[in-house]
């Protein structure tokens, strides 16, 4: 399939081109926004599908709205209609098309040109009225407030929130691109299309969440970034980090036994850390009532000792680094870990809860009482 894209170097266009390449679409034609009618006709030869993403939304002169959105679309429709094989077309419009602003009117007129093209030629025309698209490669102070918040927060610059309660509807770039690409293989009906999923939130909530992402490097407490809007916002925030901020340090606690480093804490899924132990060193010697832990030996040889605090039953395990074997602590069993090798022992640790100094649920008791 031969595909043409206008606005191919913009925010949406850049993400779309990457996804199309991932899907195996290599025959792409880029349609410059300033192309003449004859140049458009030449570029569109043999094209099966057009993604019309080019447009003007923040001009110095409002008159540019009409030329950049309406007139260019009219020229594009004429060039497509002149082709022996009329391509289907997808247009990234805006929710502003339902308003009477200069921008909205220009988008609405562009939609009308495309619908007329569909009526005249029988080609499918898909219209997406997008709102506040956000994601990687968006431009601060241009594409959306999210881009501005992420850019500034990642660089420790101030952000401005005039009305924290102002409603905000957002859609992530990956969802937009997925819906665009779906129509290549599953053609739909001409006309307005759904741009779901859209997220309903407020400006204040988004600003606070993005600022919490930055703060997590100090508190180590992560937001629930695995799904939904929070996942998409976190990915966007991280995409705005300058290269010099790709890495950051966390506290390292050392004593004669070795080192202990906390990596990440979560609101409801515990925390991750690692520790080291010198040869012959024993760590642990405590039990928990409800807290549980999982240990993964990364390097060295560890002996895990257990004793039931009531029945006095004992158990022992020896685990070497590289075995990919998880050892889990069990409530009511006191336990320890001893480095029985000749090299430093390195162990990754997950605990099901964040350590609470007021209620540590960690009671000292040796596995082998003196």
């Amino acid at each position: 399939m031969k595909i043409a894209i206008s606005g191919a170097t913009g925010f949406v266009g850049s993400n779309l081109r990457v996804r199309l390449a991932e899907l195996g679409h290599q025959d792409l034609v880029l349609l410059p926004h300033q192309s003449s009618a004859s140049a458009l006709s030449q570029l569109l030869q043999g094209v099966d599908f057009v993604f019309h993403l080019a447009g003007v939304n923040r001009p110095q002169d409002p008159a540019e709205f009409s030329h950049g959105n309406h007139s260019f679309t009219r020229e594009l429709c004429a060039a497509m209609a002149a082709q022996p094989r009329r391509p289907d077309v997808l247009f990234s419009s805006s929710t502003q098309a339902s308003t009477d602003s200069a921008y909205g009117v220009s988008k609405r007129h562009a939609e009308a040109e495309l619908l007329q093209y569909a009526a005249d030629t029988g080609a499918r025309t898909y219209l997406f009225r997008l709102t506040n698209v956000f994601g990687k490669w968006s431009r601060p102070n241009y594409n959306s407030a999210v881009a501005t918040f992420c850019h500034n927060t990642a660089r420790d610059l101030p952000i401005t929130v005039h009305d924290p309660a102002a409603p905000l509807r957002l859609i992530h770039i990956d969802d937009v691109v997925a819906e665009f690409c779906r129509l290549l293989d599953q053609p739909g009906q001409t006309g307005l299309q759904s741009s779901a999923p859209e997220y309903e939130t407020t400006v204040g909530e988004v600003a606070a969440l993005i600022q919490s992402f930055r703060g997590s490097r100090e508190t180590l407490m992560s937001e629930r970034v695995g799904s939904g809007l929070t996942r998409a916002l976190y990915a966007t925030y991280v995409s705005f980090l300058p290269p010099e901020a790709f890495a950051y340090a966390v506290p390292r606690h050392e004593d004669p036994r070795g080192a202990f480093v906390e990596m990440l804490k979560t609101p409801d899924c515990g925390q991750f850390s690692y520790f080291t132990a010198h040869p012959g060193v024993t760590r642990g010697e405590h039990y928990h009532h409800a807290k549980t832990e999982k240990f993964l030996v990364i390097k060295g040889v560890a002996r895990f000792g257990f004793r039931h605090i009531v029945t006095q039953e004992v158990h022992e395990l020896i685990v070497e680094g590289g075995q990919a074997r998880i050892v889990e602590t069990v409530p009511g069993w006191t336990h320890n870990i001893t480095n029985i090798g000749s090299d430093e022992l390195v162990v990754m640790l997950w605990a099901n809860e964040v350590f609470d100094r007021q209620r540590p649920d960690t009671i000292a008791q040796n596995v082998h009482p003196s």
Side-chain angles (χ1 to χ4, degrees), residues 210-232:
I210 290 170
Q211 289 179 312
S212 77
F213 297 153
R214 182 183 182 280
S216 68
R217 288 190 166 191
E218 298 174 2
T219 66
L220 304 185
M221 181 64 73
S222 172
E223 297 289 343
R224 297 174 176 85
V225 297
S227 63
L229 176 60
T230 306
R231 170 183 177 273

Side-chain angles (χ1 to χ4, degrees), residues 286-307:
H286 56 241
Y287 67 88
H288 314 291
H289 287 291
K291 181 178 180 179
T292 63
E293 301 160 317
K294 294 179 186 289
F295 294 90
L296 177 64
V297 177
I298 304 298
K299 174 188 173 185
V301 184
R303 181 179 65 220
F304 291 82
F306 298 87
R307 177 174 57 82

Side-chain angles (χ1 to χ4, degrees), residues 34-331:
Q34 303 301 322
S35 299
S36 64
S38 60
L40 284 173
S41 294
Q42 189 78 16
L43 289 167
L44 287 168
Q45 290 181 6
V47 165
D48 302 290
F49 197 102
V50 175
F51 288 99
H52 179 22
L53 312 178
V56 173
N57 62 1
R58 291 180 185 267
Q60 303 248 334
D61 181 357
E64 295 178 40
F65 281 130
S66 179
H67 175 74
N69 295 327
H70 180 202
S71 298
F72 179 72
T73 301
R74 183 174 60 241
E75 294 170 359
L76 177 63
C77 287
M80 292 189 297
Q83 300 302 313
R85 180 173 56 197
R86 280 68 174 264
D88 293 341
V89 59
L90 182 152
F91 178 48
S92 61
S93 186
S94 166
T95 53
Q96 295 296 310
S98 62
T99 72
D100 289 327
S101 65
Y103 174 63
V105 169
S106 69
K107 283 291 191 179
R108 190 161 65 246
H109 286 171
E111 290 178 358
E113 295 287 351
L114 288 158
L115 290 174
Q116 189 61 52
Y117 163 74
D120 292 342
T121 66
R124 297 181 181 88
T125 293
Y126 308 118
L127 308 178
F128 283 83
R129 288 186 172 180
L130 302 175
T131 178
N132 294 312
V133 182
F134 71 98
K136 65 183 184 299
W137 308 332
S138 51
R139 290 169 54 187
N141 304 306
Y142 187 81
N143 286 125
S144 73
V146 172
T148 306
F149 290 167
C150 288
H151 174 272
N152 287 17
T153 302
R155 288 159 179 78
D156 201 22
L157 299 173
I159 62 174
T160 301
V161 178
H162 297 292
D163 180 6
L168 189 60
R169 291 169 57 209
L170 298 173
I171 183 167
H172 188 229
I173 185 62
D174 288 359
D175 295 323
V176 172
V177 168
E179 190 63 17
F180 283 7
C181 292
R182 182 187 66 80
L183 289 169
L184 292 174
D185 299 321
Q186 304 173 34
Q189 297 295 317
T190 286
L192 288 173
Q193 308 294 312
S194 169
S195 55
E198 291 184 357
Y199 300 104
E200 302 280 349
T201 182
T202 67
V203 174
E205 288 173 350
V206 168
L209 194 54
I210 290 170
Q211 289 179 312
S212 77
F213 297 153
R214 182 183 182 280
S216 68
R217 288 190 166 191
E218 298 174 2
T219 66
L220 304 185
M221 181 64 73
S222 172
E223 297 289 343
R224 297 174 176 85
V225 297
S227 63
L229 176 60
T230 306
R231 170 183 177 273
L233 284 173
Y234 184 68
T236 304
Y237 169 73
V238 173
S239 76
F240 275 91
L241 291 173
E244 60 269 21
F246 283 5
Y248 62 100
V250 295
R252 179 183 174 92
H253 307 282
E254 293 192 72
D255 61 29
R257 298 172 301 169
F260 177 73
V261 178
E262 292 179 311
M263 174 187 174
L264 179 69
K265 302 177 182 179
T266 70
D268 50 14
C269 293
Q271 67 179 62
F272 297 85
S273 56
Y274 80 88
F275 65 84
T276 67
H278 302 306
V281 165
T282 297
R283 306 193 68 145
E285 303 287 26
H286 56 241
Y287 67 88
H288 314 291
H289 287 291
K291 181 178 180 179
T292 63
E293 301 160 317
K294 294 179 186 289
F295 294 90
L296 177 64
V297 177
I298 304 298
K299 174 188 173 185
V301 184
R303 181 179 65 220
F304 291 82
F306 298 87
R307 177 174 57 82
H308 194 288
I309 63 173
V310 174
T311 68
Q312 307 307 313
E313 179 183 355
V314 295
H315 185 63
E316 188 173 281
L317 291 167
I318 295 178
V319 180
E320 297 184 20
Q323 286 185 328
R325 190 180 184 195
I326 300 291
V327 177
E328 191 155 24
T329 63
V330 179

